[in-house]
Amino acid sequence: MIHDTQSLPLYSDGVNLTEQELIACQSLSRAIPDRQSRAKAALSGHRSSLIKGRGMEFAEVRHYQNGDDVRTIDWRVTARTGVAHTKLFVEERERPILLLIDLSHSAYFGSQLLLQSVQIAHLATTLGWNAINHGDRLGALIASESTHLELKPRSRRQGILQLTSGLIDVHQQQLSQINQLVSDPDHMFKACQRLQRIAKPGSLIWIISDGQHINQQCLAPLTELSRHCDIGAFVVTDPLRQGTLALPKQFTLPVRDGQQQLTLTRQSYEAWLANQQSQQQQFINLMNLIKVQPKLIDAAKPLSAQLDILR
């Protein structure tokens, strides 16, 4: 992997994850605006719901009705009109934000700046900090061939600390197993099923993946989730997988793709590239079926240079 030390994210070596680099993602999160779409259920963290009730933000007054809390009577309006009026408030509720983070072995690949897995962690943590900044509860499901780490939604620093700790642990575990044959072809399907069970109606779900393992099998649980939750998706990719890296006409290039050790020539690279792009396109098509348009994030560029994609 080629490193440009001038463009490496702060504290990052491009391969390992550190607490410092994930904490540094907090500054990136401030550049992301709040997502404006409402949940299908009336849940939104520190954003007004459509429920009129006891809350922080005044909505309107109406005639007092039997059963209303006397503490909500608007005495000024009552005195002015001679008829009892009560105040209504727009209720504010915390919104659960859930991250489905795909740290499969195929994401431990990078041709230039970062492993895709490292960029996945940077992106997940930035979205996590953004959720915490807006007062939402943050949870995650971090999935790999050997690990399914479920982090229940928690608020404030508890939510982000459990996310960063979980990412570092799973990432290091995957790195240590890179030469071992750990294979579970259904691991992302199982993760989607688990997510379907834990996501409450009205949650906002971010799917972050390299697009290689979330396949047609995952459609049923994701379709069910899309009926009750807002879903967004990111594909973290690499120039060598996108076919955008300038290569000579003839070459021999040793690479490791997840658990596979490959030696690429021009001919074998083109066949490998076609397979990689086909798998990625299948993921994009799957997301489109649930009316989600995935956004592409490049592992060869710092996330700070791609914040427009997150807006």
Side-chain angles (χ1 to χ4, degrees):
M1 185 163 57
I2 301 170
H3 288 305
D4 175 1
T5 56
Q6 296 301 314
S7 58
L8 269 174
L10 196 62
Y11 308 115
S12 179
D13 65 6
V15 176
N16 299 284
L17 275 182
T18 66
E19 185 179 16
Q20 292 93 332
E21 69 188 276
L22 297 184
I23 290 175
C25 292
Q26 183 177 14
S27 61
L28 297 182
S29 70
R30 298 190 183 101
I32 307 173
D34 190 16
R35 180 172 167 138
Q36 294 301 313
S37 62
R38 287 188 184 274
K40 295 181 176 77
L43 289 170
S44 56
H46 286 249
R47 288 176 289 274
S48 301
S49 77
L50 298 181
I51 298 174
K52 297 285 175 55
R54 182 77 172 150
M56 297 297 295
E57 184 181 345
F58 173 74
E60 61 186 10
V61 295
R62 63 161 169 76
H63 289 138
Y64 179 84
Q65 298 175 2
N66 289 336
D68 284 347
D69 190 336
V70 295
R71 291 174 298 179
T72 65
I73 292 176
D74 190 322
W75 295 107
R76 290 184 179 180
V77 175
T78 298
R80 187 172 66 249
T81 63
V83 178
H85 282 72
T86 187
K87 295 178 182 178
L88 294 181
F89 298 85
V90 178
E91 195 171 26
E92 293 196 353
R93 298 183 175 183
E94 290 181 335
R95 184 185 197 184
I97 307 292
L98 287 169
L99 307 176
L100 176 58
I101 305 168
D102 178 5
L103 285 180
S104 303
H105 276 303
S106 59
Y108 291 75
F109 178 92
S111 63
Q112 293 183 293
L113 185 68
L114 304 170
L115 293 181
Q116 288 171 251
S117 59
V118 173
Q119 189 73 295
I120 286 172
H122 288 179
L123 175 58
T125 308
T126 301
L127 293 173
W129 278 113
N130 182 253
I132 295 300
N133 291 342
H134 286 100
D136 293 314
R137 289 184 292 122
L138 174 64
L141 186 57
I142 306 174
S144 72
E145 288 87 348
S146 60
T147 302
H148 282 239
L149 181 60
E150 181 182 321
L151 306 174
K152 294 182 179 180
R154 302 175 74 178
S155 58
R156 300 183 178 87
R157 294 192 68 84
Q158 291 179 324
I160 195 66
L161 289 176
Q162 70 172 357
L163 175 64
T164 56
S165 176
L167 283 169
I168 291 170
D169 289 347
V170 176
H171 194 272
Q172 186 57 44
Q173 179 181 334
Q174 286 289 88
L175 279 177
S176 67
Q177 295 177 346
I178 205 71
N179 293 315
Q180 302 175 22
L181 292 177
V182 181
S183 179
D184 180 0
D186 299 329
H187 67 283
M188 291 311 299
F189 170 60
K190 294 174 183 176
C192 291
Q193 286 184 313
R194 184 174 297 188
L195 185 65
Q196 182 186 348
R197 291 194 296 269
I198 66 175
K200 296 185 182 300
S203 299
L204 171 59
I205 297 169
W206 291 113
I207 300 173
I208 310 171
S209 173
D210 68 347
Q212 301 295 308
H213 297 279
I214 299 179
N215 52 33
Q216 193 70 25
Q217 192 181 21
C218 302
L219 179 59
L222 290 177
T223 298
E224 186 62 29
L225 278 167
S226 69
R227 292 181 180 143
H228 307 287
C229 303
D230 285 340
I231 299 179
F234 292 92
V235 182
V236 177
T237 188
D238 181 89
L240 201 60
R241 276 184 160 152
Q242 291 297 102
T244 57
L245 190 62
L247 295 171
K249 290 184 178 180
Q250 300 298 327
F251 62 86
T252 300
L253 182 64
V255 299
R256 178 179 291 278
D257 178 11
Q259 295 175 330
Q260 296 181 334
Q261 180 71 47
L262 308 172
T263 300
L264 295 181
T265 62
R266 168 59 69 179
Q267 184 176 3
S268 62
Y269 170 66
E270 290 177 356
W272 174 82
L273 177 62
N275 177 261
Q276 298 292 303
Q277 293 184 331
S278 174
Q279 289 179 304
Q280 181 177 293
Q281 190 58 48
Q282 287 178 29
F283 172 73
I284 293 173
N285 293 342
L286 179 69
M287 291 294 102
N288 290 164
L289 288 175
I290 60 172
K291 297 180 172 54
V292 174
Q293 182 59 54
K295 298 180 179 183
L296 265 61
I297 299 292
D298 192 347
K301 299 177 183 177
L303 192 58
S304 59
Q306 303 178 75
L307 290 179
D308 284 346
I309 299 174
L310 306 185
R311 292 189 170 95

